Amino acid sequence: MKKTSTLSKLYLTVILLVMYLPIFYLIYYSFSSGDTMDGFRHFSWTHYQALFADTRMISIVLNTIIIALLAATLATAIGTSGALLIERIKRRTLRQNVLVLNNILMVSPDVIIGASFLIFFTFLGIKLGFWSVLLSHIAFCIPIVVLMVLPKVKELPQSLTDAAYDLGATRWQAFSQVTIPGIMDGIKAGFFMALTYSLDDFAVTFFVTGNGFSTLSVEIYSRARQGIDLEINALSTVMFLVSLLLVYVYYRFSVKPSSKGGVVK
Amino acid sequence: MSEKKHLFFALPYYLWLALFVIAPLVLIFYQSFLNLHGQFTVQNYLDFAQSSVYLKMTFNSVWYAFLITGLTLIIAYPVAYIIAQFKSRDFWLALVILPTWINLLLKTYAFIGILGEKGSINTFLRFIGLGSHQLLFTDASFILVAAYIELPFMILPIYNAIVAIKPSLINASLDLGASRFQTFRRVIWPLTKNGVAAGIQAVFIPSLSLFMITRLIGGNRVITLGTAIEEHFLTTQNWGMGSTIGVVLVVAMLIVMLLTDDSKKGGRAK
Amino acid sequence: MAILKFEGVKKQFGDNVILKDINFEIEEGKFYTILGPSGSGKTTILRLIAGFDYPNGGSIYFAGKQINQLPANQRQVNTVFQDYALFPNLNVFENIAFGLRLKRMKKKEIQLRVQEALALVHLAGYAHRELDELSGGQKQRVAIARAIVNRPKVLLLDEALSALDHKLRKEMQSELRQLQRQLGITFIFVTHDQEEALAMSDQIMIINEGLIEQSGSPVDIYDEPLNHFVADFIGESNIIPATMVRDFAVAINGKEFICVDAGITPGEQVEVVLRPEDLDITTVEKGKLTATVDSQLFRGVDYQIMVHDTDGHEWKINSIHKTTVGKQIGITFDPEDIHVMRKNETQAEFDARLESYQGVEA
């Protein structure tokens, strides 16, 4: 194919710059000794010191991570069983309907999910706080796990489980030694997506969080509503670095390490 | 025996479907028929239909979502196309995905600084002699920031559709005498329509409900349905009215899904 | 004694009847091939033997015991799958050791058995390769090793060679045959490739639409196909309508020819089969039938010549001598080249008839 023209390269560069500009803008001002995002004063670690001394913020970060890990783990377990279940449904229309139901939370606007969950928890008398947030996060992470795992389940040849039975495996052995490893890539991807969704969620959490409990998104929102606070900028830098690390981890572990080494023999 | 085990495995998923998918939908629908005193009424719907404020807001929401979607589509398609041509496309794609890992509140918050009265853009405008302007708290700023936030979600599905096209198809088209533009119009575009439809769904629907952006950037005014729902649920505590608007939003969403789905069917039928 | 027996076995999925009434016996230590077109039910038979599916009617016996509902993991049968079904997360060694590990065999024993199996399929030294480092043929061998390492009584091979290219396939055919003799266990091989079936088997079962059309040795089936389907499916053939005149005489196009078949009512409408390689081209005067050459195709070893006779029947002739398109020629053949088939004759009836007049002859 033809080489990409200079014009298109320029276009891509500009768009990518625009995409990263706000992030670097935040990071840049996090090192300013001032209190606003206009006019860089001089370099300082003040806002980082404030951030790391802010026990409320640190406990909120921990809360957010705990919620995300728990929600992603449970959603991955339930979503994987859901994907296996959907593939087992023989009747086409029924399977189609279950899939439609599965995808409702994927396509619903966040406010609707948040509002309807709020009604649901109030209706059941569940106190808003940690548990309502955790349940909500599990709930909206399940469909994404299903969608990531389902193609892998479909790709898994029936003959593979047959082969396991043929070689003397019980149902459980075939499931744990053949089926699960066979769909592991999908499970990993689902877990990471669930983690991202949970960490990133604001709207749903905002509705079901109540007063006592807060996640990072909600905290940033309420601070931002009060105006500029460069501690948030310092937080952005930290989060950006963590994201970079996570991206690295994700690519390192999701992309199969090539086994070329053996060929040399 | 195995059927029992099967049920044991399936139970959590079915429970989730029943409790967190079906029940909340039923409840929000039910709630929309309740007034502030918990009495059953259709008043909420009447209020909605008769209030020029709500109708204008509905129109605005859809119109803004449409603008945001259009803007991101125009920007995203070339980006996806260009990246798909690169050898190291995975790297460039990762660059596009990375910003989505930054909390969207943080990105929105950045714009408070960028668009602020003393922010960079105004500094630049003053520098070139255009004077400073009120950029923050305008509808335009809301659209801009929303488009910025949603851009990667438009790029991804289009990119996936483009890389799924076999190079031999493009070669075949060129071989059969089509120009590059004709190849695009008759081969690439039709084959990426599904990706575009997926992108539109991924952007349009959230755009109806980005209340945090309207709050932070749009100037704390209630200008979209999403903001109105948040206002009724969390500020004025009129859940009935909030649910009614929610039902309207769901209907709007269904219409969009049917429309984008229709284009798919049309493509298949041809 | 038969190791495996099917008695009136039926299998259907919903309303879709796959197997109507399957009866056969499989003896120990032989190479069997189940041959049939796709959709004939041959793979279903294999799945019933392996225990992946259970029959809806009839009985399956293994070493004298009924095993209709016995789960796959409790049967002394192992399968080589069409797509190999190697576990992608395991390397060659672990794939082969899979069944042994499930049996909680000792490590040393496993090591020994796997090496032995690898040697049998000529893959010694490949134990620690990953699957994606293997060629198609090597994966095939691993799949075979994984099955035989468990020392099954019966080895099932489901279209096992169909993914390989022509040359490799030929190689694997003779290797499989050799392996079967070496191990002395029963192989049941499923294929749609008649050439493969003829080359490898002790016994062939021809399946069509859920029924066994004919079973027998490759030579029997080739020389004495029971009916139109078998004659057409196995090898190349000319199937021509004819009338039985009396014992050892049949009329084609109204002309009487001597044949070797008997026991059929005179005047009965039958079909005769003549293999293309048994027909010779000669002059019109010397020919038993007269025909005009329509086309000629050079195939390397011979020419395939299409002709039509004076009655309008098409004939296919394989000859090492070329001829000229449009020329009038004579077709000639020997009495034993003609094989007469009665319509709707079962294998039992055919065998009985054969016995009756071959007894007379002798």
Side-chain angles (χ1 to χ4, degrees):
Chain A
M1 228 181 234
K2 254 201 211 166
K3 276 202 171 163
T4 6
S5 67
T6 342
L7 191 70
S8 44
K9 272 184 192 153
L10 186 72
Y11 176 77
L12 186 66
T13 314
V14 169
I15 296 296
L16 281 172
L17 277 179
V18 171
M19 285 176 79
Y20 280 88
L21 188 76
I23 297 162
F24 290 128
Y25 191 82
L26 286 179
I27 294 175
Y28 175 67
Y29 278 105
S30 72
F31 296 107
S32 164
S33 62
D35 289 322
T36 53
M37 281 197 270
D38 41 44
F40 191 87
R41 299 291 133 74
H42 52 83
F43 182 86
S44 130
W45 291 103
T46 329
H47 304 297
Y48 289 88
Q49 281 158 354
L51 176 68
F52 291 116
D54 188 342
T55 47
R56 178 183 157 82
M57 187 57 107
I58 287 167
S59 79
I60 285 170
V61 169
L62 288 178
N63 280 342
T64 312
I65 293 170
I66 289 168
I67 291 271
L69 285 175
L70 283 176
T73 309
L74 287 164
T76 304
I78 300 172
T80 304
S81 73
L84 291 166
L85 175 82
I86 290 172
E87 189 54 22
R88 276 187 59 149
I89 300 175
K90 290 282 179 312
R91 290 223 332 265
R92 242 183 82 87
T93 45
L94 183 64
R95 189 171 55 202
Q96 213 56 43
N97 288 337
V98 173
L99 260 178
V100 168
L101 282 179
N102 181 73
N103 293 354
I104 283 181
L105 288 187
M106 290 298 303
V107 297
S108 294
D110 291 350
V111 271
I112 301 289
I113 301 175
S116 63
F117 281 7
L118 175 60
I119 302 173
F120 175 70
F121 289 131
T122 316
F123 180 78
L124 289 184
I126 294 174
K127 210 174 141 270
L128 298 183
F130 175 82
W131 290 106
S132 61
V133 172
L134 179 61
L135 283 173
S136 305
H137 280 226
I138 295 170
F140 70 69
C141 285
I142 288 174
I144 185 69
V145 175
V146 172
L147 289 187
M148 301 302 273
V149 176
L150 198 56
K152 293 288 163 196
V153 177
K154 281 200 173 123
E155 276 171 29
L156 195 73
Q158 169 72 43
S159 62
L160 232 47
T161 35
D162 279 348
Y165 294 138
D166 188 67
L167 296 167
T170 59
R171 286 169 85 78
W172 170 251
Q173 285 168 328
F175 177 73
S176 61
Q177 294 184 31
V178 173
T179 308
I180 291 292
I183 59 173
M184 204 54 193
D185 284 351
I187 295 176
K188 278 189 206 160
F191 178 80
F192 263 95
M193 283 303 283
L195 207 62
T196 323
Y197 265 57
S198 172
L199 286 174
D200 213 37
D201 177 68
F202 164 69
V204 176
T205 314
F206 192 60
F207 272 85
V208 297
T209 189
N211 286 326
F213 188 79
S214 186
T215 65
L216 202 52
S217 300
V218 174
E219 182 68 10
I220 297 168
Y221 178 73
S222 44
R223 291 201 187 188
R225 285 199 74 176
Q226 286 152 23
I228 303 235
D229 175 355
L230 293 189
E231 198 184 314
I232 299 181
N233 293 54
L235 181 67
S236 311
T237 314
V238 176
M239 285 180 74
F240 183 67
L241 292 176
V242 172
S243 301
L244 276 180
L245 190 75
L246 278 178
V247 170
Y248 173 75
V249 168
Y250 181 78
Y251 278 92
R252 184 75 179 48
F253 289 99
S254 73
V255 181
K256 244 192 182 173
S258 73
S259 43
K260 293 262 161 61
V263 185
V264 186
K265 269 199 268 187
Chain B
M1 181 207 90
S2 79
E3 278 312 299
K4 258 188 205 163
K5 263 192 197 164
H6 171 215
L7 204 70
F8 171 75
F9 271 111
L11 193 66
Y13 184 74
Y14 279 135
L15 264 180
W16 168 76
L17 277 182
L19 291 180
F20 287 94
V21 178
I22 297 167
L25 275 182
V26 171
L27 281 172
I28 201 168
F29 190 69
Y30 171 74
Q31 184 84 41
S32 72
F33 291 100
L34 297 183
N35 65 14
L36 273 173
H37 311 289
Q39 289 148 328
F40 199 82
T41 169
V42 289
Q43 196 57 42
N44 293 327
Y45 285 93
L46 291 177
D47 285 351
F48 187 91
Q50 286 163 359
S51 150
S52 62
V53 178
Y54 282 131
L55 291 178
K56 187 160 173 275
M57 198 193 306
T58 309
F59 173 78
N60 269 345
S61 295
V62 174
W63 173 237
Y64 288 158
F66 177 78
L67 286 178
I68 293 163
T69 311
L71 194 63
T72 49
L73 178 59
I74 291 167
I75 297 171
Y77 202 103
V79 171
Y81 188 81
I82 294 166
I83 291 177
Q85 313 303 314
F86 283 143
K87 261 200 188 133
S88 50
R89 36 165 98 150
D90 287 343
F91 168 74
W92 293 95
L93 189 71
L95 277 187
V96 170
I97 296 173
L98 187 59
T100 65
W101 287 51
I102 309 297
N103 194 297
L104 105 134
L105 269 304
L106 287 178
K107 285 181 283 187
T108 310
Y109 165 75
F111 279 96
I112 301 178
I114 294 171
L115 299 174
E117 210 189 328
K118 291 177 187 165
S120 316
I121 293 195
N122 268 326
T123 313
F124 177 72
L125 289 178
R126 273 196 299 275
F127 177 74
I128 58 171
L130 290 174
S132 61
H133 295 265
Q134 175 65 31
L135 300 172
L136 213 52
F137 308 142
T138 60
D139 292 4
S141 63
F142 162 66
I143 292 167
L144 184 80
V145 175
Y148 167 78
I149 301 275
E150 301 291 349
L151 185 61
F153 302 103
M154 184 64 94
I155 296 176
L156 278 176
I158 298 176
Y159 169 83
N160 286 334
I162 293 176
V163 293
I165 300 176
K166 291 197 195 92
S168 61
L169 285 180
I170 292 161
N171 288 338
S173 164
L174 296 173
D175 180 68
L176 293 169
S179 68
R180 289 209 156 255
F181 177 72
Q182 284 168 324
T183 303
F184 176 77
R185 201 170 66 90
R186 291 176 181 272
V187 180
I188 300 173
W189 173 252
L191 286 173
T192 51
K193 255 191 196 162
N194 282 346
V196 171
I200 290 174
Q201 279 191 14
V203 171
F204 190 93
I205 294 162
S207 298
L208 291 170
S209 73
L210 288 170
F211 69 88
M212 48 288 184
I213 300 181
T214 54
R215 289 284 191 207
L216 293 176
I217 302 288
N220 212 8
R221 295 166 302 137
V222 182
I223 51 171
T224 64
L225 292 179
T227 328
I229 294 172
E230 188 250 357
E231 173 102 358
H232 281 303
F233 269 91
L234 300 177
T235 312
T236 64
Q237 297 288 327
N238 185 353
W239 288 16
M241 194 63 217
S243 299
T244 303
I245 302 170
V247 172
V248 172
L249 192 57
V250 168
V251 171
M253 173 189 100
L254 287 178
I255 292 171
V256 172
M257 286 179 63
L258 284 178
L259 284 178
T260 42
D261 211 43
D262 206 49
S263 73
K264 240 190 272 172
K265 271 185 201 134
R268 226 181 288 148
K270 258 181 243 166
Chain C
M1 192 191 97
I3 178 103
L4 185 71
K5 195 165 134 191
F6 268 48
E7 246 179 36
V9 170
K10 291 173 188 61
K11 179 67 188 172
Q12 57 188 72
F13 295 100
D15 296 333
N16 190 8
V17 180
I18 307 291
L19 299 179
K20 290 170 187 157
D21 180 16
I22 299 290
N23 298 282
F24 62 78
E25 284 190 9
I26 298 267
E27 285 170 38
E28 229 164 318
K30 281 192 177 175
F31 198 119
Y32 289 85
T33 297
I34 302 178
L35 175 67
S38 52
S40 57
K42 55 188 191 303
T43 296
T44 307
I45 295 180
L46 215 62
R47 292 180 63 83
L48 291 178
I49 301 174
F52 305 139
D53 288 317
Y54 301 135
N56 298 113
S59 296
I60 302 172
Y61 297 96
F62 189 87
K65 264 192 266 170
Q66 208 225 42
I67 54 158
N68 278 19
Q69 308 285 327
L70 192 72
N73 51 14
Q74 292 168 31
R75 297 192 185 194
Q76 284 176 293
V77 166
N78 285 112
T79 309
V80 178
F81 292 83
Q82 180 170 15
D83 60 358
Y84 315 142
L86 297 174
F87 306 123
N89 52 313
L90 305 177
N91 68 9
V92 170
F93 184 92
E94 287 303 324
N95 259 286
I96 299 174
F98 191 87
L100 305 178
R101 287 215 194 285
L102 292 173
K103 291 191 190 103
R104 304 194 178 282
M105 201 171 270
K106 285 203 186 91
K107 269 195 179 163
K108 269 194 180 161
E109 174 88 11
I110 291 178
Q111 188 78 28
L112 219 66
R113 294 264 292 257
V114 172
Q115 297 301 348
E116 187 191 58
L118 276 170
L120 275 172
V121 296
H122 308 300
L123 278 184
Y126 279 70
H128 298 288
R129 297 279 178 103
E130 293 298 326
L131 292 184
D132 49 15
E133 297 167 33
L134 301 183
S135 69
Q138 289 168 338
K139 282 184 190 162
Q140 171 74 72
R141 287 160 199 262
V142 174
I144 295 168
R146 185 180 68 176
I148 60 173
V149 78
N150 300 289
R151 300 188 179 154
K153 288 264 165 56
V154 175
L155 184 73
L156 308 175
L157 302 106
D158 184 8
E159 301 262 3
L161 305 183
S162 64
L164 304 178
D165 65 48
H166 185 75
K167 193 159 170 271
L168 200 55
R169 206 154 137 179
K170 292 276 173 203
E171 271 174 42
M172 284 306 290
Q173 285 175 9
S174 58
E175 254 181 62
L176 271 182
R177 189 66 238 235
Q178 208 185 330
L179 187 66
Q180 188 267 330
R181 292 207 176 109
Q182 216 171 333
L183 295 171
I185 61 172
T186 307
F187 277 33
I188 303 179
F189 188 89
V190 158
T191 184
H192 63 268
D193 183 336
Q194 44 103 7
E195 227 179 288
E196 201 162 270
L198 292 172
M200 297 167 78
S201 327
D202 291 318
Q203 290 282 313
I204 298 177
M205 271 185 268
I206 297 177
I207 307 285
N208 187 38
E209 294 180 348
L211 288 170
I212 297 178
E213 295 277 357
Q214 185 172 7
S215 61
S217 73
V219 175
D220 283 351
I221 286 183
Y222 190 81
D223 287 345
E224 288 160 357
L226 194 60
N227 56 34
H228 191 113
F229 174 81
V230 176
D232 194 38
F233 193 66
I234 298 280
E236 291 175 316
S237 55
N238 295 292
I239 304 171
I240 309 290
T243 313
M244 204 66 194
V245 182
R246 58 184 175 276
D247 282 358
F248 307 115
V250 65
I252 306 171
N253 294 351
K255 273 192 189 169
E256 211 176 291
F257 295 101
I258 299 172
C259 65
V260 294
D261 295 270
I264 302 167
T265 332
E268 186 179 320
Q269 295 298 310
V270 294
E271 282 179 318
V272 294
V273 185
L274 290 123
R275 297 293 182 184
E277 66 272 17
D278 293 338
L279 301 177
D280 292 311
I281 292 176
T282 180
T283 56
V284 176
E285 297 77 41
K286 287 187 191 162
K288 296 188 172 173
L289 292 165
T290 306
T292 312
V293 178
D294 294 324
S295 67
Q296 172 167 256
L297 205 67
F298 180 58
R299 302 195 303 183
V301 282
D302 60 7
Y303 291 90
Q304 181 165 78
I305 299 157
M306 299 297 296
V307 303
H308 67 270
D309 66 20
T310 42
D311 268 33
H313 297 304
E314 287 247 341
W315 295 79
K316 190 190 282 176
I317 303 168
N318 294 347
S319 165
I320 48 170
H321 305 293
K322 68 193 258 187
T323 176
T324 316
V325 173
K327 197 176 154 190
Q328 286 257 318
I329 53 139
I331 307 174
T332 178
F333 43 81
D334 296 326
E336 55 271 20
D337 296 336
I338 303 176
H339 169 67
V340 179
M341 299 186 301
R342 301 179 83 176
K343 285 171 187 165
N344 305 317
E345 191 175 42
T346 66
Q347 184 148 19
E349 287 162 359
F350 174 74
D351 290 344
R353 180 163 63 82
L354 210 64
E355 208 155 294
S356 68
Y357 70 80
Q358 277 179 346
V360 170
E361 217 174 15

